[in-house]
Amino acid sequence: MDRLWQGVTGPPIGSSPDWPGPHPGRKLLGDRSDEGGLRRVRHTRLQAWQARFHGRARPGERDFRRLWAGDAVSQLGSQITLFALPYTAVSVLHAPGDQLGLLQALYTLPFLLVPLPAGLWLDHRPLRGVLITVNVVCALLVLSVPLAAAAGTLGLAQLHLVAALGGAATVTSEIAMFALLPRLVAAERLASANSRLNAGLAVAVTSGPGIAVWLTTRFGAPNALLADCLTYLFCAVALGRITHRQRSRPIQRPGGRLRRELIAGLRVVLGYPPLRRIAVHAALFHACAQAVNVALVVHLVRDQRLGGLYGLVLVCGGLGGTAGTLLAPLLIRRLGHGRAALAAAAVAAPAFWLVPAAAGSRATVVALCSAGLFAGSAGAGALSVVSTTVRHLASPPALHARVSAAFRLVTFALVPLGALTGGLLVDGVGARATLWAVPAVMVAALLPLLTVPVRTLHHVERQDHRAEPGLVAPG
């Protein structure tokens, strides 16, 4: 904390009147003379630099590194399971198409049903312990598949159960992780911390499918899940080394008050105008992104006949997402939270028009489609960091889990509709026409971000000391 000195020999403001002064011949960290007689001592930066130079870091920084490392490795394992689980259903159990659809539905259903009750429960539980338990449970779930396959007892019912429980565990884990993050990181470092977490996810999305294909072809689809089991265990060990502790708070509420506590996160998301508008845009964008994903596969694989080059296009999209998440803190510092969100979304939406516009040689098509996915994913990645940082700052600690759960519920509510609409459009008007139409909806979805509450949102005060939950300070 900065110290203000009065005159040349006076005590620091707020100190005891009989303060004896610094030791003769010895200066405080960061002490320097000033001709005006007013000394401003900035010792925290020097101490932080010395701590890094000597290999020491503050407990919060060490805890965040452990959280980030565990999450990055776990996200990579999750990408393996998202590939290997349906592949196991097809290659080992010869599941028909409707069973694959049911498998995907069971995995995504908890994304709509779990967030609100999980958010309320997590706000009253020690988040570190919950994260460790969830990762151990996930490790046992994925381990059950190769064990059952080796014993010859694997069936579709077990895969459906693993998908449903795995989806619920994924939602709970992500809500708990983003609720724990503000307890480990100072307000001015939240944007950077969110950027690093999202960068880990982007890297996992980029490299995970390739690793999953290699593991599946080398060891078989069920055995590939052993890699995910190991990543969950690594994450549990990394989380176990976090030194931050918090006590559980029992939920003892009357019926009416319990309902109010359950929707408290929704009141913050919908009651704070900038966050509400960002959430509305994110919901529309995510729905459109699902439609783009459906049309993209058909357009590039069937219509353009790119074959294996389709994977190269997807890798470029993953690299764009990584770049966007890393650039987000710089955007926030230069533009403020609101304009950073608008700039990121303005880059992402029209970039996808490069995909249907691509024509000519195969190299030209691959280059333009890669550029479109790179820019679109970069804007989406930066916007994700901005929105996460705003909701962290705009909610008190007692509501962090519920606000994250409510924001997730709002922004993912239209995802199934987007995927269904994309499939219907591809069958009705074709993949290229769909890829022209859907980005137009993305551009129209910029309207909530063009409003005054978002454009003028430069800084959000952190709500650590807000007494009454659910109230947020103006931007």
Side-chain angles (χ1 to χ4, degrees):
M1 181 177 181
D2 294 343
R3 289 182 179 179
L4 290 176
W5 287 64
Q6 297 172 322
V8 178
T9 59
I13 293 177
S15 63
S16 174
D18 55 355
W19 184 73
H23 190 277
R26 182 183 300 171
K27 290 187 176 182
L28 295 177
L29 287 174
D31 190 12
R32 56 185 173 87
S33 59
D34 196 331
E35 293 293 334
L38 179 66
R39 298 183 180 181
R40 184 175 181 85
V41 183
R42 295 183 177 271
H43 62 283
T44 54
R45 291 186 179 179
L46 183 57
Q47 284 178 327
W49 177 86
Q50 287 181 339
R52 288 194 297 269
F53 181 80
H54 292 291
R56 300 189 303 270
R58 293 172 295 180
E61 175 65 22
R62 291 195 299 267
D63 286 346
F64 169 73
R65 290 176 184 174
R66 291 158 183 163
L67 177 69
W68 173 80
D71 178 69
V73 173
S74 177
Q75 291 289 356
L76 180 62
S78 296
Q79 295 302 314
I80 296 173
T81 295
L82 289 176
F83 177 87
L85 200 65
Y87 196 88
T88 299
V90 173
S91 62
V92 178
L93 302 178
H94 308 289
D98 58 344
Q99 293 297 318
L100 289 179
L102 178 60
L103 188 69
Q104 180 66 19
L106 288 173
Y107 177 76
T108 57
L109 188 61
F111 287 63
L112 300 178
L113 301 180
V114 171
L116 290 185
L120 175 60
W121 181 70
L122 289 171
D123 272 332
H124 294 79
R125 302 298 303 170
L127 298 173
R128 170 184 165 275
V130 170
L131 284 168
I132 294 173
T133 303
V134 168
N135 278 276
V136 172
V137 169
C138 288
L140 295 176
L141 280 174
V142 296
L143 179 62
S144 68
V145 177
L147 291 180
T153 59
L154 182 63
L156 283 174
Q158 181 177 348
L159 294 188
H160 290 159
L161 181 63
V162 170
L165 295 179
T170 298
V171 174
T172 304
S173 176
E174 291 184 359
I175 294 173
M177 183 188 65
F178 282 108
L180 178 61
L181 179 63
R183 302 175 185 271
L184 307 180
V185 177
E188 63 274 10
R189 295 189 60 252
L190 273 175
S192 176
N194 282 313
S195 172
R196 290 170 65 180
L197 285 176
N198 282 274
L201 173 60
V203 170
V205 171
T206 304
S207 58
I211 297 175
V213 171
W214 180 81
L215 289 173
T216 300
T217 56
R218 180 69 177 83
F219 303 103
N223 293 329
L225 295 173
L226 290 172
D228 192 17
C229 176
L230 295 178
T231 62
Y232 281 125
L233 293 177
F234 175 87
C235 184
V237 172
L239 293 169
R241 298 185 62 199
I242 291 178
T243 59
H244 173 79
R245 298 291 188 273
Q246 64 183 112
R247 297 179 179 178
S248 60
R249 296 180 292 124
I251 306 176
Q252 297 178 353
R253 309 287 187 188
R257 184 66 182 272
L258 179 60
R259 179 178 177 274
R260 182 180 178 184
E261 293 285 339
L262 188 65
I263 64 172
L266 277 174
R267 295 208 319 271
V268 174
V269 173
L270 301 180
Y272 184 38
L275 191 58
R276 179 174 68 245
R277 286 162 171 79
I278 292 174
V280 169
H281 170 268
L284 295 173
F285 185 89
H286 286 159
C288 292
Q290 289 298 314
V292 167
N293 289 337
V294 173
L296 191 67
V297 179
V298 177
H299 178 67
L300 296 183
V301 176
R302 187 185 68 186
D303 298 345
Q304 296 291 341
R305 301 182 185 277
L306 294 185
L309 293 176
Y310 170 65
L312 177 61
V313 175
L314 295 183
V315 168
C316 290
L319 294 175
T322 305
T325 58
L326 295 177
L327 288 175
L330 177 62
L331 281 178
I332 293 174
R333 288 194 297 269
R334 294 289 180 85
L335 305 177
H337 292 97
R339 292 185 179 180
L342 179 58
V347 169
F352 291 104
W353 272 323
L354 287 176
V355 177
S361 65
R362 175 173 291 192
T364 302
V365 171
V366 171
L368 287 178
C369 291
S370 299
L373 256 68
F374 182 92
S377 299
L383 182 60
S384 176
V385 173
V386 175
S387 63
T388 305
T389 304
V390 170
R391 76 171 185 254
H392 276 157
L393 294 173
S395 57
L399 292 179
H400 277 156
R402 276 171 282 181
V403 171
S404 293
F407 190 86
R408 185 182 183 90
L409 177 65
V410 172
T411 56
F412 281 83
L414 298 179
V415 163
L417 179 62
L420 178 62
T421 303
L424 294 175
L425 286 175
V426 169
D427 290 339
V429 300
R432 184 185 290 272
T434 301
L435 290 171
W436 278 113
V438 174
V441 181
M442 288 183 173
V443 173
L446 291 173
L447 290 176
L449 302 182
L450 290 170
T451 56
V452 174
V454 178
R455 286 189 292 109
T456 59
L457 181 67
H458 183 75
H459 175 71
V460 182
E461 295 180 7
R462 188 164 180 170
Q463 303 298 296
D464 281 1
H465 304 294
R466 179 68 60 173
E468 184 176 350
L471 297 179
V472 292

